């Protein structure tokens, strides 16, 4: 007898109300603290450059949409690897619906998209395996982009090495550990709580191995490089209209990548707080005033993180009743 999947509405319903209040209260307090701590800088933020350079902001937003399109394409390749040549529209909506849950530690909430594929006979373990490899490749891409400014930013070298170690260890474990045999063993051992918790993880890793074929792995990495590099170029375009400081494309890519890496390793929802703090600090180190750095950081996150969240919820609404 199959277990019915949880919809986002059902998932929200089973989360205790006090936990949701606690989470939203934490972010409200954090936002209030930021406003108080940086009040002197915030009141000096000048929005006139953005009004004058609105075309650059629009292009940066278009580059974010280009990022989403490339990642949808990569996700469709993963579905084809599973033997399912699904319609572009369905893949696009289901992939971007995961963006609605980006504000979760490690973006794990994005795996809710697995429920849309059950009607096609695609098991949850296959979708989570694809998601695992996708997240791993995105972290690898950020490492490659961050190398562009590594020589200048010694203070963040430790974060980069942690990310390199994490990606290397996870890739090696997926490729070398006989997860199929581990999964078979877990099927016959005593069903304790630990075994029940390990089974979906092991099944995910069994599925993930099929996405490590050299051609698919390389194409996924290259598509990620172009996709995330495009968002970094968007940061450079907006930076050029905020101040006459020349921020090179490699520097913009490095700043963006290091901020995302720190945010990911913090395991805060969406990297909120940690990503913004690092990005503003790096922009300040590259010659921008603190008000300019804060403005650039806020615009960048609005055009990347929050744009994705809004699109994600629109896709969730468009997919209502399709599970």
């Amino acid at each position: 007898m199959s277990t019915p999947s949880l919809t986002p509405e059902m998932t929200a319903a089973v989360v205790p109300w006090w936990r949701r209040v606690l989470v939203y209260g934490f972010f409200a307090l954090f936002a209030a603290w930021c406003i108080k701590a940086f009040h002197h800088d915030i009141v000096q933020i000048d929005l006139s450059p953005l009004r004058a350079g609105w075309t650059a902001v629009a292009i940066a937003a278009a580059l974010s949409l280009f990022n989403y399109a490339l990642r949808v394409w990569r996700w469709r390749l993963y579905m084809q690897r599973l033997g399912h040549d699904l319609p572009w529209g369905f893949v696009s909506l289901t992939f971007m619906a995961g963006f609605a849950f980006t504000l979760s530690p490690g973006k794990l909430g994005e795996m809710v998209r697995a429920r849309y594929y059950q009607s096609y006979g695609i098991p949850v373990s296959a979708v989570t395996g694809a998601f695992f490899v996708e997240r791993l490749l995105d972290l690898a891409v950020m490492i490659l982009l961050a190398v562009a400014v590594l020589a200048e930013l010694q203070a963040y070298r430790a974060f980069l090495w942690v990310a390199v170690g994490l990606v290397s260890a996870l890739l090696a474990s997926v490729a070398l550990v006989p997860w199929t045999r581990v999964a078979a063993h877990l099927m016959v051992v005593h069903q304790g709580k630990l075994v029940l918790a390990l089974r979906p993880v092991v099944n995910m890793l069994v599925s993930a191995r099929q996405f490590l074929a050299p051609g698919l792995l390389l194409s996924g990495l290259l598509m990620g490089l172009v996709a995330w590099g495009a968002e970094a170029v968007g940061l450079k375009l907006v930076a050029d209209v905020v101040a006459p400081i020349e921020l090179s494309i490699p520097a913009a890519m490095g700043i963006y990548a290091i901020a995302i890496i720190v945010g990911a390793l913090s395991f805060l929802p969406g990297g909120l707080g940690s990503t913004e703090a690092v990005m503003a600090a790096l922009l300040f180190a590259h010659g921008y005033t603190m008000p300019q750095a804060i403005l650039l950081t806020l615009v960048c996150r609005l055009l990347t993180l929050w744009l994705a969240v809004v699109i994600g919820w629109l896709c969730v609404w468009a997919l209502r009743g399709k599970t």
Side-chain angles (χ1 to χ4, degrees):
M1 185 175 181
S2 61
T3 303
S5 58
L6 292 176
T7 65
E9 293 81 4
M10 292 167 63
T11 302
V14 299
V15 176
W17 66 268
W18 60 266
R19 186 175 297 177
R20 295 200 297 273
V21 170
L22 188 65
V23 170
Y24 291 125
F26 169 78
F27 286 122
L29 287 174
F30 177 75
W33 176 84
C34 288
I35 293 173
K36 184 178 185 300
F38 296 98
H39 175 73
H40 177 72
D41 297 309
I42 291 173
V43 295
Q44 296 183 55
I45 290 177
D46 181 11
L47 297 179
S48 58
L50 292 181
R51 289 192 289 269
W54 66 268
T55 53
V57 177
I59 293 172
L63 288 172
S64 290
L65 297 178
F66 176 66
N67 168 289
Y68 309 154
L70 270 181
R71 290 163 61 199
V72 165
W73 184 11
R74 182 175 63 180
W75 185 255
R76 190 166 185 267
L77 290 178
Y78 290 164
M79 294 301 101
Q80 288 175 332
R81 180 71 178 183
L82 294 171
H84 297 271
D85 193 10
L86 302 174
W88 275 100
F90 177 77
V91 174
S92 300
L93 285 173
T94 53
F95 179 80
M96 291 189 293
F99 293 169
F101 305 93
T102 293
L103 297 179
S104 57
K107 298 187 178 181
L108 295 178
E110 290 190 18
M111 286 195 289
V112 74
R113 66 170 68 107
R115 71 191 184 91
Y116 297 115
Y117 294 91
Q118 291 180 352
S119 60
Y120 285 88
I122 305 177
V124 172
S125 60
V127 178
T128 55
F131 174 82
F132 177 79
V133 173
E134 182 207 18
R135 293 286 87 204
L136 208 54
L137 286 183
D138 284 344
L139 186 54
V141 164
M142 291 302 170
I143 292 170
L144 293 175
L145 294 178
V147 169
V149 291
L150 183 60
E152 305 174 35
L153 304 169
Q154 301 294 327
Y156 296 93
R157 179 168 288 188
F159 289 101
L160 192 60
W161 282 117
V162 169
V164 169
L166 182 62
V167 170
S168 301
L170 290 174
L171 280 175
S173 68
V174 173
L176 301 177
V177 175
W179 292 111
T180 304
R181 278 190 285 172
V182 175
H185 176 70
L186 289 178
M187 289 299 294
V188 298
V189 298
H190 177 67
Q191 293 193 12
K193 289 184 178 179
L194 179 60
V195 172
L196 292 176
L198 285 176
R199 277 182 183 170
V201 176
V202 172
N203 289 336
M204 176 191 74
L205 295 172
V206 169
S207 177
R209 179 172 290 184
Q210 64 189 304
F211 302 108
L212 297 186
L216 188 61
L217 187 65
L218 181 59
S219 61
L221 186 66
L222 291 176
M223 292 169 82
L225 271 171
V226 176
W228 292 108
E231 286 198 344
V233 171
L235 173 62
K236 185 259 190 302
L237 292 176
V238 177
D240 286 348
V241 303
V242 167
I245 300 168
E246 183 61 34
L247 183 69
S248 67
I249 290 179
M253 288 182 174
I255 290 170
Y256 183 75
I258 290 175
I260 295 297
I261 289 172
V262 174
L265 295 179
S266 72
F267 260 77
L268 291 170
L272 286 175
S274 53
T275 299
E276 287 82 1
V278 171
M279 188 177 292
L282 293 177
L283 288 167
F284 180 74
H286 275 75
Y288 293 90
T289 65
M290 187 51 71
Q292 290 170 342
I294 292 174
L295 175 61
L296 278 173
T297 299
L298 293 177
V299 172
C300 179
R301 294 291 270 170
L302 181 66
L303 297 179
T304 54
L305 173 67
W306 294 107
L307 176 62
V309 171
V310 170
I311 290 175
W313 280 112
L314 290 174
C315 291
V316 169
W317 182 84
L319 288 165
R320 67 197 187 283
K322 294 200 183 292
T323 54

